[in-house]
Amino acid sequence: MAPALAAANQWAHLGERLHPYDCELLMTYRSGRHFLQLPGPTNTPFRLLQAMARPVIDHRGPEFARMTKGILAELQWLFRTQNPVFVYPSSATGAWEAALANTLAPGDRVLSFDHGFFAQKWCHVAGRLGLDVRRLPGDWRTPPSPSTVEDLLREDTERRIRAVLFVHSETSTAVKTDIAAMRKALDRADHPALLLVDAVSSLACMEFLHDEWGVDVTVCGSQKGMMLPAGLGFTAVSSRALEASKTASIPSAYWQWDEMLRFNERGFFPYTPATGLLYGLEEALAMLKEEGLGRVIARHDRHAEATRRAVEAWGLEIVPCDAAHACSSVTAVLTPDGHDADRFRAVVLDRFDMSLGKGLGELEGRVFRIGHLGDFNDLMLAGTLAGVEMGLSAAGVPHRTGGAQAAFEYLAREDPTNPGGHP
Ligand code: PLP
């Protein structure tokens, strides 16, 4: 008899003896809340869960049209744009495809930098769509440099490069690319290439200014700063991108902006929308507005800083070589040589019921990632860092103690409601 069944049957005098199946269920219940500290999907707050539980309404009726028009207006606020934002029932990978298919033609040259797993994956999508992808070797610990980009664009005297792809917050490395500086590099080189940016793990976490930074297409997904489950993909566009869509010829139907525009104007979609997720999105936008985007960003910055202090005090290294290039939504931590990050994550899951992000691509087994984005507060971060520190001890990963304490002290001292601090 399995040990748990034997243990449970000690209490058989209280009622019927347990069936092995019930016992299996007993063994899987873990008291308390699971800590989902992935860099997305993030914790979905109760308000969003409640909103998404509402009954589906007619997606061709007036109530739906009112909701859609409101959501599309609020998305412009979130992306910081006066131009349309398109919402697809898709993951962010779909939105990558939409950005390319609406602006380019097969054989068009696109420039990209190998600075992380998601930058690679976007290139892969571009290659499959028949684009001529020039992927320049990059360093996964530093962002691409604007001056290199400028030089490459100047060298392209025939103006064959039609688009440049960047990942603002490279979730696999937690390295941030300066998009405003990239815009300036394109302008200095006087190059007409479109600037396509992945803001999947930066939007609603880190400052992102679609119009001000002159981004032509911003790609996003619902499962990070927007606090929803995966299932909605977004493209925010510029007038140049909309113009390009008139001649773009990558074969596609589902992603076409012209159809979306026609339907969105009346508050509808060209196909059956994911109404439950749209309810959640409406509520998420309301929550972000209530908190204030500036405060949302400051909160993420503060939690990222506290996390980096913990990592430093543990004597471990973050992936970005320079903390000035670190993302505020996620922190990627290198484990010491000979210590498998995936084994460490397994110990943390088993002992403390917390999921940390795994190392991706060439960082597999060498990195664990602490997600601190979305619906998050000081005590959730305190629990997360306490779990990491206990996990380091439990897994026998060499470190100094006191990292969580360093973060607690920073959080206690840096009062977001009183930025000047106490006397
Ligand atoms: N881009 C970035 C930066 C991501 O972090 C992710 C997923 O984590 C993606 C793109 C792909 O998104 P999805 O898995 O929703 O297709």
Side-chain angles (χ1 to χ4, degrees):
M1 191 183 287
L5 183 57
N9 280 338
Q10 285 178 2
W11 309 104
H13 64 280
L14 295 176
E16 280 181 43
R17 291 178 77 79
L18 287 161
H19 185 273
Y21 177 69
D22 296 327
C23 184
E24 210 172 279
L25 292 179
L26 279 178
M27 285 169 70
T28 56
Y29 178 70
R30 295 195 71 158
S31 60
R33 183 172 76 68
H34 175 72
F35 271 59
L36 184 72
Q37 298 317 132
L38 306 176
T42 61
N43 300 289
T44 299
F46 191 59
R47 259 176 77 171
L48 300 194
L49 294 173
Q50 269 183 320
M52 289 188 291
R54 277 154 43 204
V56 168
I57 54 171
D58 174 9
H59 58 285
R60 302 188 206 282
E63 193 185 340
F64 187 90
R66 261 193 308 277
M67 176 179 77
T68 304
K69 285 182 180 170
I71 288 174
L72 295 177
E74 295 301 334
L75 282 172
Q76 288 178 310
W77 164 79
L78 182 63
F79 282 80
R80 297 304 202 217
T81 183
Q82 303 288 328
N83 288 309
V85 181
F86 300 109
V87 187
Y88 300 97
S90 80
S91 84
T93 301
W96 273 343
E97 184 160 337
L100 300 167
N102 277 289
T103 54
L104 299 164
D108 274 358
R109 184 166 295 173
V110 300
L111 184 65
S112 169
F113 297 84
D114 183 1
H115 57 106
F117 180 78
F118 292 104
Q120 281 186 349
K121 285 200 40 156
W122 199 4
C123 281
H124 176 71
V125 171
R128 295 199 82 151
L129 292 178
L131 293 163
D132 171 16
V133 182
R134 299 294 157 108
R135 196 174 90 195
L136 293 156
D139 169 1
W140 282 34
R141 299 190 68 183
T142 50
S145 119
S147 61
T148 309
V149 172
E150 184 181 338
D151 292 346
L152 287 164
L153 292 173
R154 277 188 198 285
E155 282 163 23
D156 179 36
T157 49
E158 289 175 28
R159 303 299 192 238
R160 294 204 51 204
I161 299 169
R162 304 301 302 273
V164 192
L165 317 184
F166 292 109
V167 178
H168 181 215
S169 163
E170 180 42 86
T171 325
S172 63
T173 60
V175 174
K176 169 178 73 176
T177 290
D178 185 344
I179 302 300
M182 293 306 178
R183 172 79 265 164
K184 288 191 186 126
L186 263 92
D187 291 347
R188 275 196 306 272
D190 195 23
H191 198 291
L194 293 168
L195 175 60
L196 310 188
V197 178
D198 172 321
V200 173
S201 64
S202 58
L203 193 86
C205 303
M206 291 152 61
E207 183 172 68
F208 189 86
L209 308 172
H210 176 90
D211 281 1
E212 194 176 317
W213 293 349
V215 180
D216 289 302
V217 187
T218 299
V219 169
C220 202
S222 52
Q223 73 271 31
K224 314 255 179 184
M226 292 190 218
M227 307 171 282
L228 289 162
L232 294 179
F234 304 86
T235 54
V237 301
S238 68
S239 36
R240 280 186 73 219
L242 279 179
E243 202 49 43
S245 71
K246 293 180 186 155
T247 51
S249 57
I250 290 179
S252 103
Y254 188 76
W255 307 114
Q256 288 301 308
W257 289 337
D258 56 352
E259 293 259 309
M260 270 287 198
L261 263 180
R262 255 179 345 103
F263 278 80
N264 283 179
E265 266 162 21
R266 291 177 288 123
F268 301 120
F269 290 88
Y271 31 66
T272 312
T275 303
L277 282 167
L278 292 174
Y279 290 151
L281 177 60
E282 185 183 37
E283 193 66 21
L285 289 162
M287 286 170 70
L288 291 167
K289 221 158 187 186
E290 280 171 37
E291 188 176 352
L293 206 46
R295 274 192 292 274
V296 169
I297 291 162
R299 166 165 63 76
H300 282 82
D301 289 345
R302 184 167 162 275
H303 286 158
E305 174 62 29
T307 305
R308 288 193 294 271
R309 285 178 186 232
V311 176
E312 193 184 345
W314 287 323
L316 299 178
E317 239 185 301
I318 58 172
V319 173
C321 287
D322 180 347
H325 300 142
C327 296
S328 291
S329 43
V330 49
T331 300
V333 185
L334 287 153
T335 45
D337 283 347
H339 292 273
D340 184 351
D342 286 338
R343 189 184 157 265
F344 162 71
R345 289 188 323 106
V347 170
V348 170
L349 178 62
D350 187 46
R351 291 286 307 276
F352 306 113
D353 201 15
M354 175 161 71
S355 296
L356 295 169
K358 72 185 263 82
L360 297 171
E362 63 186 57
L363 295 177
E364 185 167 355
R366 295 171 53 209
V367 156
F368 66 90
R369 295 173 301 145
I370 306 170
H372 33 72
L373 69 167
D375 187 48
F376 206 53
N377 65 21
D378 285 8
L379 285 187
M380 291 159 91
L381 181 64
T384 301
L385 297 175
V388 172
E389 186 158 333
M390 289 190 290
L392 291 168
S393 296
V397 177
H399 68 288
R400 294 194 296 264
T401 55
Q405 183 62 30
F408 300 164
E409 281 165 18
Y410 171 79
L411 291 172
R413 200 170 54 243
E414 294 295 315
D415 178 358
T417 61
N418 179 19
H422 295 292

